[in-house]
Amino acid sequence: AVGSVFDEIMSRDLLETMITLVGSQISAPASHSQPLLMELLFILSVLANFSTALAAQLLDLSVCHLLRQLLLSADLGPSPAKQATSPAVLLRVLCVAVSLLPAVVHVSGKYLCDEERAKLFTGSKSHHLDHLCATFLPVLLDLLAISTEPPITSTGISLALALLLAAADRHEVVRASVDPTKFSCFLA
């Protein structure tokens, strides 16, 4: 019901404008850009979460590339060259990624992906899942190893598990995206 309302009021042009605004905030000074960036990411995550059609449009508008740029600009470790990104912005980036993925449902003792949303990542659209895995799995394993922020840790674990479940039949993508030692530590 909510998704159909979003589908009716959101045009592709408006989504493109929002993506452009997010992109413009990546290189802006952190003190000026973070409030706007957090709000834009929040709106994108809500839209993607409630509407499969809007999630599909966001994927087609290269939101994965934009999320990767945000992660690369984040200060995830001791690197003076990176701009400090607040935990709140990082959390919103993770939320957008989780919102794009299929929901995980528990059915008859098994965890499965929501079939309708999973269709966004099959056939000619499988490159979206490849890109999300390549972007987020390596960073998530590092992030989860150093994070002291409970919301980031819990959202990061949710995203990692959702990615792994969505890519369950694409072992080569997961193998290419993660270091086996770090992955073992994550599972432990």
Side-chain angles (χ1 to χ4, degrees):
V2 173
S4 61
V5 171
F6 285 154
D7 292 342
E8 290 177 22
I9 62 173
M10 291 299 297
S11 68
R12 185 172 178 94
D13 290 339
L14 186 54
L15 285 176
E16 286 176 353
T17 301
M18 291 176 70
I19 294 289
T20 301
L21 280 170
V22 170
S24 71
Q25 299 305 302
I26 293 173
S27 60
S31 61
H32 302 306
S33 67
Q34 288 193 0
L36 177 60
L37 184 57
M38 287 187 336
E39 292 306 317
L40 288 167
L41 291 171
F42 174 75
I43 293 166
L44 291 176
S45 68
V46 169
L47 292 173
N49 190 53
F50 284 104
S51 171
T52 299
L54 292 174
Q57 286 185 42
L58 286 170
L59 289 167
D60 290 341
L61 290 170
S62 301
V63 75
C64 297
H65 177 71
L66 193 62
L67 295 174
R68 178 177 172 77
Q69 287 180 304
L70 286 165
L71 281 178
L72 291 175
S73 70
D75 183 15
L76 299 177
S79 174
K82 294 183 179 178
Q83 171 180 327
T85 300
S86 76
V89 171
L90 185 56
L91 180 62
R92 299 273 168 90
V93 170
L94 297 177
C95 287
V96 173
V98 167
S99 296
L100 292 168
L101 290 168
V104 177
V105 293
H106 188 257
V107 178
S108 302
K110 295 181 181 180
Y111 290 98
L112 304 170
C113 289
D114 172 66
E115 290 182 22
E116 182 182 354
R117 185 61 64 99
K119 291 177 185 175
L120 296 179
F121 301 99
T122 58
S124 65
K125 303 286 185 175
S126 64
H127 65 281
H128 293 309
L129 182 60
D130 297 351
H131 194 69
L132 281 168
C133 285
T135 297
F136 283 96
L137 283 176
V139 174
L140 282 172
L141 296 180
D142 290 338
L143 178 65
L144 292 171
I146 64 170
S147 178
T148 59
E149 300 280 339
I152 291 176
T153 302
S154 64
T155 306
I157 290 171
S158 296
L159 176 56
L161 294 176
L163 279 169
L164 292 171
L165 186 58
D169 61 341
R170 302 178 55 82
H171 303 289
E172 70 283 354
V173 173
V174 174
R175 278 192 204 109
S177 300
V178 298
D179 176 85
T181 305
K182 290 180 182 180
F183 188 61
S184 298
C185 291
F186 166 72
L187 293 175

